[in-house]
Amino acid sequence: MSFSKRDEDSGRIGYHHYFDKTTVLQEARVFNESPINARKCRALLTKILYLISLGETFGTTEATELFFSVTKLFQSKDSALRQMVYLVIKELSTVAEDVIMVTSSLMKDMQPTSEVMYRANAIRVLRKITDASMLQGLERFLKAAIVDKNAKVSSAALVSSYHLYAIAREVVKRWANEAQEAINAKPQSVVSAASSYVTSFGNAPQAYTAVSNSNIVQYHALGLLYAIRQKDRMAVSKLVQNYAAKSGLSGSVLRSPFAQCLLVRYACKVMEEDPSSTRAVYELLEGWLRHKSEMVNLEAAKAICEMKDATVKELFPAVTTLQNFLSSGKPSIKFAAIRALNKLAMSQPAAVAPCNIDMENMITDQNRSISTFAITTLLKTGNEASVERLMKQISGFMSEITDESKVLVVEAVGSLCIKFPAKHHVMLSFLSGALRDDGGYDFKRAVVEAIFNFVKYIPESKEAALSHLCEIIEDCEYSKLSVKILHLLGVEGPKCPQPTKYIRYIYNRVILENAVVRGAAVSALAKFGVNVEDEAVKQSVKVLLSRCLDDADDEVRDRATMYLNVIKSGDEKGYVKDDSTYALAYLERQLLNYVSNPELADTPFDLSTVPKISRQEEQESRGPLEQAGAIQSLGGRISPPHSGTASNGAGARPAASTTPSLDQQAVYAQKLAEVPEFASFGPLFKSTAKPVELTESETEYVVSCVKHVFAQHIVFQFNIKNTLNDSVLEDVNVLMTPDNDEVSLVEKVLIPAPQLVYDVPGIAYVAFERTVLEDYPECTFTNELKFIVKDCDPQTGEPDEEGFEDDYQVEEVSLAIADFVLPSYIPSFNKAWEDLGIDYEVVETLALTTSPGLQEACRDLIALLGMQALENSGTVQGSNVHTMILSGIFIGGAQVLARCRMTYDSATGVTLQLAIRSTNGEVSQILIGAIA
């Protein structure tokens, strides 16, 4: 048999494929032979490493026996064999038992009299088998190795120290001086400190004939030094200042470009943690742009490009440097530069525009990764006149690039539709043609979603885009994409002037596709039958749906039966036209509480207490708005809706929603459920949307408050952070005093924050019980922190044993009626308004003297009532008269609706007629009282 032949099934080549673990274990007897056959042993060790690299696992017994068989090879003088021995025992040490037995052999190889190769490898292996208890015994060896004059030994010790820092921080912290000495050491000078350590071994240091000129030691030493000091912000800042002082000059301490790049990254971290240092760090970065190493230039340019709120003027030096690299002869440099410019173009296209000529020359670059980034960057920075030319150039090489690059191009084109809507026909043709190219699911999905953007954001392109989508589903190999397209056709098709032309494509899916796609097609057909007013179309849809009643799949039959009944009965509100859904995070939390509470087993689950949200809000809760992301990728800004001029009092900003992030509220509920003192409080009703800041961010103690409302209790969560690195706070309590002694609140639970170390947030809780359930208290609390202060060492964080009591006054916290109202979405306000009737309606006419305009009045009303604005009524559309409709759920489950009719006059201000309806008359009166 020829071992050089390719195995057609596995695709692997070579003799290594023709053995297994059992064979290797049997051959391990060769390690016991005397004399040692170095060639056979090397071959067998290679097989072991090969099996491990393929993911082969060795049992504990197998690994232990093999481990100790391999250690017998330490007596060999063959250097190549010894290198293989170190590699194998390092891999087996994580599985084998009693690996500590090999420590003596490794310690012998670490001696200064040993060969350099043995010392470096022994240090690396010893790190794998060392634990925190053994490290103190090895400390002097490792400290000596860190300052060793040989770069291989020093680097091995530094990298091992970096890994050991995770298991023995206090020990490794003591090596900071050695790490700093390794940075400052000159490449061919004998390190004076090394001899003081080596003499303790009793052996004179070996005289090396050659000393490495590598500066990689500085890179490893700087990484270790930062790991030791990273918790101390001042120490990191000083580290950057010290080594950046002469950066790039002939006398620079850091000779390694890798170390310089690390320093650039550490400088950026200093800037992120301390915004006041931005100007000083920017000057350092600008200096690094003139460094003699291209690697450092690129790192500094990337750092400047990633600065927040940087102006075009500040970006200019970095862009100029990257532009020079675009003409480099090195493909790696060109790729790094164009990728950095591509990322910058997403937020600052104007800053990258001067590079357009250089990037156009890169479109035909032989390296398709470079040409792809060049073309996508040009799409972000180019003008409308260049779109057609760029589209033609892209089409020429789309078939030659990978799917990942195709996705980048398609996403750039999809985002371009918002910037240049007049060129939609060119971009749609390009996307349609791209679908004919070979590609995987991710590429096809990117194309389909790009066409979705045209439908969503460019009304004039809707019909053309839908036609392209119809052609796609005719020959689509992915069911997921077909379902998504059919859903969009069902939503947008009935709104088109000629909806019937899409019905044929949809019904073809019922005939030709699998059950999943057929079910989606039935749902899409039903939407045409419900939303198209033409009776002839409705009748045609009924006929098509009736043909689906004999489908082989029960899901398809059930859908057809349901939709036929819906169309015949006219009850489409709750099945087809209902745009609402339950807040899933809130629903999940309520269901978990219901299932885990045995006391609720005999009562039905009350779904009315779960708020509803619109489909759009559900999409927003999953992530940023698609349009925002698309516009941001083009460097644009989302313009606020037009809200009139200043004469009518309408501001530019829409009313802010009081609805907290549903995911965040779920996190709050989970944290509160873990506190035993709150277990009897029941399910969480509401948490405030944003923490209330009670101090400035620059103060020594930063405090914010979140209010959590339960059925009978109110919990105040105080988030506290200590910004002083020389002190530790213990037993941190918050004393809350209401401004009204007669308020129906009694302090129930007081939970202090046990300890607050530097820059690590802690939480303290104060819980009150409502003694009168029919009373919903409104009051203001004064707050004072009470704690014990202990001084500590900023380097180690160890506090003193003795401390002293202290206090700290923070801002007040208010409790209002809005805290007892949960914002809730309903699909049809008018229907719900009529269903509630006038039995519990309260109407008041008020003058809003504190609101200078209609938009401000909308924001004030939402904040005071704690309800949700529906149908975009929270945004004033530029007239002197405006009506805002609100919905919410009062604590206890009572539904509340409000209609706010407002007029604005420059002389009298805002006049409000507020009508509130509820299922409880007392609730209506309470909410009116919150405004009056």
Side-chain angles (χ1 to χ4, degrees), residues 367-381:
N367 188 313
R368 286 310 183 192
S369 297
I370 294 175
S371 60
T372 301
F373 272 114
I375 201 71
T376 53
T377 308
L378 284 170
L379 289 174
K380 299 180 179 75
T381 61

Side-chain angles (χ1 to χ4, degrees), residues 772-776 839-840 842 890 894 896 916 918-929:
V772 182
L773 295 183
E774 294 77 16
D775 183 27
Y776 305 96
D839 294 341
Y840 299 119
V842 180
F890 199 76
V896 187
I916 294 180
S918 174
T919 55
N920 187 315
E922 183 181 353
V923 171
S924 300
Q925 293 290 347
I926 291 172
L927 288 174
I928 282 288

Side-chain angles (χ1 to χ4, degrees), residues 41 46 52 161 169 368 394 728 755 763 770 777 783 790:
C41 291
T46 304
I52 294 174
S161 303
R169 294 191 176 188
R368 286 310 183 192
I394 296 172
V728 172
Q755 187 182 62
I763 297 177
R770 290 194 295 128
N783 308 294
K790 292 184 178 181

Side-chain angles (χ1 to χ4, degrees), residues 227-292:
I228 293 173
R229 298 181 178 180
Q230 60 183 335
K231 297 296 183 182
D232 188 347
R233 185 186 302 176
M234 294 299 296
V236 174
S237 179
K238 188 176 180 181
L239 174 72
V240 173
Q241 291 175 2
N242 287 344
Y243 290 111
K246 297 181 180 180
S247 181
L249 303 179
S250 58
S252 174
V253 174
L254 294 181
R255 299 173 301 279
S256 169
F258 300 103
Q260 290 280 5
C261 290
L262 266 188
L263 197 63
V264 172
R265 296 182 182 181
Y266 297 156
C268 292
K269 290 182 179 179
V270 171
M271 182 172 58
E272 290 176 5
E273 296 175 355
D274 183 12
S276 62
S277 65
T278 301
R279 173 49 52 185
V281 173
Y282 175 78
E283 292 176 357
L284 289 176
L285 294 175
E286 194 175 9
W288 276 315
L289 291 176
R290 297 184 291 274
H291 194 274
K292 58 184 178 181

Side-chain angles (χ1 to χ4, degrees), residues 44-256:
L44 185 56
L45 292 173
T46 304
K47 294 179 182 180
I48 295 172
L49 290 174
Y50 179 75
L51 289 175
I52 294 174
S53 70
L54 293 180
E56 187 72 57
T57 57
F58 289 86
T60 304
T61 304
E62 295 172 339
T64 303
E65 293 177 356
L66 190 59
F67 180 88
F68 286 103
S69 296
V70 173
T71 57
K72 295 178 182 178
L73 301 179
F74 272 112
Q75 55 187 314
S76 173
K77 301 300 182 182
D78 188 284
S79 59
L81 177 60
R82 290 286 291 275
Q83 281 185 305
M84 296 296 295
V85 169
Y86 289 121
L87 290 174
V88 171
I89 64 175
K90 188 169 73 169
E91 295 295 333
L92 294 176
S93 62
T94 57
V95 185
E97 294 178 340
D98 301 326
V99 294
I100 197 173
M101 302 291 289
V102 79
T103 303
S104 59
S105 298
L106 296 173
M107 292 286 290
K108 181 180 177 182
D109 285 349
M110 284 176 58
Q111 298 293 335
T113 55
S114 300
E115 293 186 26
V116 172
M117 181 199 69
Y118 295 167
R119 295 180 64 194
N121 284 315
I123 291 171
R124 289 190 171 92
V125 176
L126 194 61
R127 190 268 304 176
K128 292 282 286 187
I129 65 175
T130 300
D131 56 20
S133 61
M134 296 173 53
L135 189 56
Q136 289 191 354
L138 302 173
E139 184 175 3
R140 63 185 184 129
F141 293 93
L142 291 173
K143 290 173 73 173
I146 288 175
V147 294
D148 195 275
K149 62 183 178 180
N150 188 278
K152 296 183 178 66
V153 177
S154 181
S155 287
L158 287 165
V159 174
S160 299
S161 303
Y162 187 88
H163 290 290
L164 290 170
Y165 183 75
I167 62 173
R169 294 191 176 188
E170 297 305 320
V171 177
V172 178
K173 278 182 178 180
R174 298 198 292 262
W175 307 350
N177 291 335
E178 282 72 21
Q180 194 160 359
E181 191 172 341
I183 296 176
N184 298 329
K186 296 188 180 299
Q188 291 190 351
S189 65
V190 178
V191 180
S192 59
S195 59
S196 63
Y197 290 105
V198 172
T199 52
S200 62
F201 300 148
N203 296 313
Q206 179 178 349
Y208 299 108
T209 57
V211 178
S212 172
N213 290 321
S214 172
N215 293 317
I216 198 65
V217 173
Q218 292 188 326
Y219 170 70
H220 294 145
L222 187 62
L224 176 62
L225 200 58
Y226 175 77
I228 293 173
R229 298 181 178 180
Q230 60 183 335
K231 297 296 183 182
D232 188 347
R233 185 186 302 176
M234 294 299 296
V236 174
S237 179
K238 188 176 180 181
L239 174 72
V240 173
Q241 291 175 2
N242 287 344
Y243 290 111
K246 297 181 180 180
S247 181
L249 303 179
S250 58
S252 174
V253 174
L254 294 181
R255 299 173 301 279
S256 169

Side-chain angles (χ1 to χ4, degrees), residues 487-647:
H487 173 74
L488 184 70
L489 289 174
V491 173
E492 300 293 341
K495 302 175 186 177
C496 294
Q498 297 179 343
T500 53
K501 65 180 182 181
Y502 306 113
I503 295 178
R504 175 175 63 87
Y505 293 98
I506 296 174
Y507 187 69
N508 282 345
R509 301 305 99 211
V510 177
I511 301 173
L512 303 173
E513 292 287 356
N514 57 49
V516 174
V517 178
R518 295 202 304 273
V522 168
S523 298
L525 282 175
K527 291 174 182 176
F528 280 84
V530 169
N531 296 315
V532 177
E533 300 298 331
D534 191 346
E535 287 298 327
V537 175
K538 288 181 180 290
Q539 189 60 36
S540 299
V541 170
K542 289 180 184 177
V543 172
L544 295 177
L545 289 176
S546 62
R547 295 178 182 175
C548 301
L549 296 177
D550 297 327
D551 194 274
D553 186 77
D554 55 351
E555 171 71 17
V556 178
R557 294 196 304 271
D558 291 347
R559 289 194 186 196
T561 303
M562 183 191 73
Y563 288 128
L564 274 173
N565 291 332
V566 166
I567 295 174
K568 291 177 182 177
S569 63
D571 184 22
E572 69 274 1
K573 287 287 185 183
Y575 298 97
V576 181
K577 291 186 176 181
D578 188 359
D579 188 41
S580 65
T581 183
Y582 288 103
L584 297 181
Y586 194 95
L587 174 61
E588 180 185 20
R589 186 171 67 253
Q590 296 289 74
L591 287 172
L592 286 173
N593 180 73
Y594 179 79
V595 172
S596 60
N597 192 343
E599 298 178 0
L600 301 176
D602 297 332
T603 59
F605 180 75
D606 187 5
L607 196 60
S608 63
T609 60
V610 180
K612 285 188 174 184
I613 59 176
S614 65
R615 300 286 181 182
Q616 182 179 359
E617 288 176 321
E618 182 194 17
Q619 293 176 358
E620 292 175 9
S621 67
R622 295 177 181 175
L625 282 171
E626 293 179 8
Q627 184 179 16
I631 293 179
Q632 183 182 5
S633 69
L634 294 166
R637 299 181 184 273
I638 300 178
S639 302
H642 177 70
S643 44
T645 61
S647 61

Side-chain angles (χ1 to χ4, degrees), residues 390-548:
L390 291 174
M391 291 292 105
K392 290 180 181 178
Q393 289 178 304
I394 296 172
S395 303
F397 67 83
M398 278 293 285
S399 58
E400 303 175 15
I401 59 179
T402 62
D403 273 13
E404 291 80 3
S405 300
K406 289 179 181 178
V407 170
L408 289 175
V409 173
V410 169
E411 288 176 349
V413 173
S415 301
L416 198 67
C417 69
I418 302 172
K419 190 175 181 181
F420 304 125
K423 295 292 183 180
H424 65 84
H425 59 283
V426 177
M427 290 178 272
L428 274 175
S429 299
F430 167 77
L431 293 173
S432 178
L435 277 174
R436 300 187 185 97
D437 297 335
D438 294 334
Y441 172 76
D442 290 334
F443 168 58
K444 303 289 185 180
R445 178 183 55 81
V447 175
V448 170
E449 290 182 352
I451 298 177
F452 282 6
N453 282 345
F454 285 85
V455 177
K456 189 172 184 179
Y457 303 126
I458 307 178
E460 58 268 26
S461 70
K462 181 185 292 186
E463 290 194 55
L466 291 179
S467 297
H468 284 296
L469 292 174
C470 288
E471 294 176 4
I472 292 172
I473 60 174
E474 286 291 318
D475 186 25
C476 183
E477 56 191 309
Y478 301 105
S479 298
K480 287 184 179 180
L481 293 183
S482 296
V483 170
K484 293 180 70 171
I485 294 172
L486 287 168
H487 173 74
L488 184 70
L489 289 174
V491 173
E492 300 293 341
K495 302 175 186 177
C496 294
Q498 297 179 343
T500 53
K501 65 180 182 181
Y502 306 113
I503 295 178
R504 175 175 63 87
Y505 293 98
I506 296 174
Y507 187 69
N508 282 345
R509 301 305 99 211
V510 177
I511 301 173
L512 303 173
E513 292 287 356
N514 57 49
V516 174
V517 178
R518 295 202 304 273
V522 168
S523 298
L525 282 175
K527 291 174 182 176
F528 280 84
V530 169
N531 296 315
V532 177
E533 300 298 331
D534 191 346
E535 287 298 327
V537 175
K538 288 181 180 290
Q539 189 60 36
S540 299
V541 170
K542 289 180 184 177
V543 172
L544 295 177
L545 289 176
S546 62
R547 295 178 182 175
C548 301

